[in-house]
Amino acid sequence: MTLPRGLRVAWGEVADAASRREVSRTLLSGLLREATFVSRCPRCGGEHGRIRVSGAEAAVSVSYAGGWAVAVVAEGCARAGIDVVEADAGGLDRVLPGADARAWARVEAVLKADGRGLDVDPARVQVTGGVNNAWRARIDRGAWVTGYDLIAPAGLVAAVVVSA
């Protein structure tokens, strides 16, 4: 699978939930050595939420599922979102009617790239078409973004979105 230039993805196994942040930050550091990464929740001030990059012109995102962490670096992009879901994840239909794991991963990646996450109703995301692993999406009548389905470890489904 070929991704656009400047878009790099890395996977790492997570031994337990407590180590997942450490694994994701190690992945990001390996992808973008000159940068530092900080997360600060705007609501509670905790060290979680959107990751900010210092020292490089890039957007980053991370996700976790099934004992894995995945990280994306999108150099020269304003925003990036990545999501990984267990292929047999249940309950997605309650949040996004008719959604399977692939549809959910795409929608969640769009919402992460948008920056508002699940503050936006996932049903507001429109995903269309696709050639090979690429597709397009937008929220309501907003600007279209490009997304890509990723090759993931067995039992997982993943998608990434970038916007200029």
Side-chain angles (χ1 to χ4, degrees):
M1 171 186 51
T2 303
L3 294 173
R5 186 176 185 183
L7 185 64
R8 293 176 289 153
V9 175
W11 292 87
E13 287 188 84
V14 176
D16 56 55
S19 67
R20 70 187 208 159
R21 182 178 310 272
E22 180 181 329
V23 171
S24 70
R25 296 318 184 265
T26 299
L27 293 171
L28 288 173
S29 294
L31 291 170
L32 203 58
R33 296 187 192 284
E34 67 276 16
T36 57
F37 310 98
V38 176
S39 297
R40 184 73 55 208
C41 176
R43 290 192 180 129
C44 73
E47 294 182 16
H48 59 94
R50 175 174 234 154
I51 303 169
R52 307 267 190 252
V53 180
S54 296
E57 291 294 322
V60 302
S61 183
V62 300
S63 187
Y64 314 95
W68 289 88
V70 62
V72 63
V73 167
E75 293 184 81
C77 293
R79 295 185 180 237
I82 195 164
D83 193 53
V84 59
V85 182
E86 293 186 27
D88 61 356
L92 300 175
D93 193 59
R94 289 189 300 262
V95 181
L96 186 61
D100 61 5
R102 171 74 58 213
W104 178 257
R106 289 175 171 181
V107 167
E108 180 74 7
V110 170
L111 295 175
K112 285 181 172 183
D114 174 70
R116 295 178 286 171
L118 291 174
D119 286 342
V120 174
D121 180 354
R124 292 173 52 193
V125 177
Q126 177 187 358
V127 177
T128 185
V131 176
N132 298 324
N133 67 316
W135 42 273
R136 294 178 356 128
R138 66 181 178 181
I139 299 172
D140 298 325
R141 296 191 182 277
W144 289 99
V145 294
T146 303
Y148 303 90
D149 296 329
L150 301 174
I151 295 171
L156 300 177
V157 173
V160 63
V161 168
V162 292
S163 65

